[in-house]
Amino acid sequence: MKKVKLICSDLHLGVGKILEGGETNSLEEFYYDEQFAEFLNYYTVGEFKDTEVELVLNGDIFNFLQIDYNGHYLAVITETISLENLKGIVKGHPVFFKALREFVENGKNSITFIVGNHDQGMLWPEVRSYLNQIVGAPIRYKNLVYFFEGVHIEHGHMHEAANRLDPRRFFLKHNVAEPILNLPMGSQFFVDFVLKVKLVNPYIDKVRPFTSFIRWGLVFDTLFTLKTLVGLLFYFGKRILVPDPRRGQWSLKNVLKVFAEGAVFPDLDHAARKILNDEKIHTVIFGHSHVYQYRKYGKDKEYFNTGTWTELTSLDMVSLGKITKLTYVLIEYPDQADRPRGRLKEWRGFHRVQKDVDVS
């Protein structure tokens, strides 16, 4: 049977565009449920009707860090909290999860889920069991890396100091009432600091390049930018000087390492090239950076970044303005080829005469 694999990442599903009280959810980032459903349907009918299709969800599919629990955004996260967050996401995106169910109901298609830094809650067994129940089929879960036939897929957060998980200790169990996620510094910083800024300016983490954004802010929004930078210094100072056993150890050395890497929005090219030095690997696929990318190294080594299905604002003159591209990687198995081949693709969807404008 012919087979293909679809790899996408960084969808960042929240609890939906409209909250239970009827107000707009300014922290929702995924508005393409219908397009995603069309995308999966396209690969189950027509020329793909008799094809075995594997959907690889490569991290940050769910945005657990941007969902409140009883009105609070938490950096101390138990299995119960993660499960409730996922239930909220399922309720807020019925079209998306219906599409996943229909995708696997033919028995030959499958889903693989690789955990990212924004959906670290998918490490919990009960959360995985619930998602399997919602989809109606067992999902293949990968904590960090998915490797097959010379193809290396991972989210990408393990290649930067800010968001790197400890693979030997996904959970903290000592000096706490019940096990909690061992969140990396970047996730804690996002919940404690960035979210407070996003509630005022939701676009704060959607601008590239970030250094240009800071310069722009100093000129055109001086007070807000200076206030944010000063708050940033106080935050890191407090975290270094006042340790919290529920948050892991923050040291000046680790904080300086984060800043030295410049890992606000990392470039993962170097990490991809390092992995491709392994003679067993010919293709590397990342997400995480939110920037779709293709690079070829040497004779037959390739790196893909799947980008994001969320909105970005570019301050680069080459691509100035708002950008949304529903990008993914298609892995095919050409006849008489000695290895699978990847192609960077963009889902355009079907023609629509009109649609609601997303204003959050």
Side-chain angles (χ1 to χ4, degrees):
M1 181 180 294
K2 179 184 176 183
K3 62 180 180 178
V4 300
K5 300 180 188 292
L6 311 171
I7 301 95
C8 58
S9 68
D10 298 274
L11 306 186
H12 285 250
L13 274 73
V15 294
K17 292 191 291 185
I18 305 300
L19 299 175
E20 289 187 356
E23 66 272 26
T24 298
N25 179 15
S26 64
L27 295 179
E28 180 60 58
E29 296 182 352
F30 185 75
Y31 306 116
Y32 302 102
D33 299 79
E34 289 79 11
Q35 288 88 339
F36 185 81
E38 294 171 353
F39 165 66
L40 291 187
N41 182 67
Y42 176 80
Y43 283 101
T44 57
V45 298
E47 64 178 294
F48 296 98
K49 182 179 180 180
D50 297 319
T51 300
E52 177 186 311
V53 184
E54 179 182 358
L55 173 66
V56 181
L57 298 172
N58 188 22
D60 286 7
I61 302 304
F62 309 132
N63 200 353
F64 287 157
L65 297 180
Q66 212 158 277
I67 299 173
D68 71 284
Y69 182 75
N70 293 332
H72 300 281
Y73 296 94
L74 304 175
V76 178
I77 302 174
T78 64
E79 187 170 27
T80 299
I81 292 171
S82 295
L83 181 59
E84 288 304 308
N85 284 347
L86 181 56
K87 288 180 178 179
I89 293 171
V90 170
K91 185 177 180 180
H93 293 274
V95 173
F96 180 90
F97 291 96
K98 180 174 183 287
L100 291 181
R101 289 194 300 272
E102 293 176 347
F103 175 74
V104 296
E105 68 183 5
N106 60 21
K108 67 179 185 298
N109 294 342
S110 62
I111 300 173
T112 298
F113 194 108
I114 305 170
V115 179
N117 54 302
H118 276 252
D119 50 20
Q120 192 178 340
M122 292 308 302
L123 291 168
W124 295 111
E126 286 298 320
V127 181
R128 292 181 173 186
S129 177
Y130 177 72
L131 185 57
N132 289 348
Q133 175 187 336
I134 292 299
V135 172
I139 295 171
R140 181 188 297 109
Y141 292 97
K142 299 291 181 179
N143 294 341
L144 296 174
V145 176
Y146 181 26
F147 177 78
F148 60 90
E149 301 167 275
V151 179
H152 176 109
I153 306 177
E154 62 173 304
H155 182 62
H157 60 296
M158 294 297 289
H159 299 283
E160 50 155 342
N163 290 302
R164 187 177 298 123
L165 306 184
D166 184 347
R168 299 162 300 180
R169 192 170 62 154
F170 287 133
F171 310 103
L172 297 177
K173 300 179 181 180
H174 299 293
N175 300 318
V176 291
E178 59 181 303
I180 60 175
L181 291 177
N182 185 12
L183 294 180
M185 289 169 46
S187 295
Q188 296 177 40
F189 169 66
F190 183 87
V191 173
D192 293 339
F193 187 84
V194 176
L195 267 182
K196 292 181 176 64
V197 181
K198 281 178 67 70
L199 291 172
V200 179
N201 290 317
Y203 56 80
I204 191 74
D205 61 342
K206 300 177 184 178
V207 182
R208 308 290 190 276
F210 195 68
T211 52
S212 298
F213 183 41
I214 294 175
R215 290 194 294 268
W216 182 93
L218 288 171
V219 175
F220 296 103
D221 199 358
T222 307
L223 182 61
F224 170 77
T225 304
L226 289 176
K227 183 179 178 181
T228 302
L229 292 175
V230 171
L232 183 67
L233 293 176
F234 273 101
Y235 172 79
F236 279 105
K238 180 181 178 180
R239 289 306 315 274
I240 293 170
L241 297 174
V242 186
D244 184 341
R246 301 171 302 170
R247 306 281 192 98
Q249 181 62 45
W250 282 46
S251 67
L252 178 61
K253 179 181 178 181
N254 289 339
V255 171
L256 291 176
K257 186 176 181 181
V258 169
F259 281 101
E261 284 190 0
V264 178
F265 301 116
D267 184 342
L268 298 173
D269 285 24
H270 178 73
R273 295 191 69 168
K274 186 175 181 180
I275 294 171
L276 287 168
N277 286 333
D278 188 331
E279 62 181 14
K280 299 189 297 293
I281 298 173
H282 54 72
T283 302
V284 168
I285 302 174
F286 286 150
H288 188 54
S289 70
H290 289 203
V291 179
Y292 65 88
Q293 200 168 11
Y294 171 76
R295 294 285 187 271
K296 184 176 181 180
Y297 301 111
K299 182 180 179 181
D300 210 17
K301 301 274 190 172
E302 295 179 299
Y303 161 54
F304 298 87
N305 194 297
T306 50
T308 179
W309 283 39
T310 65
E311 186 180 85
L312 292 178
T313 297
S314 173
L315 295 180
D316 192 318
M317 292 304 297
V318 177
S319 56
L320 187 64
K322 287 189 176 182
I323 302 171
T324 303
K325 285 184 179 292
L326 312 184
T327 49
Y328 62 101
V329 170
L330 172 67
I331 296 287
E332 299 177 295
Y333 292 78
D335 294 338
Q336 300 178 342
D338 60 352
R339 49 163 278 193
R341 290 285 177 178
R343 297 172 63 189
L344 185 62
K345 310 276 281 186
E346 177 188 1
W347 178 251
R348 294 288 186 88
F350 301 118
H351 176 68
R352 286 178 172 78
V353 177
Q354 56 82 31
K355 68 181 288 290
D356 290 337
V357 175
D358 299 313
V359 295
S360 62

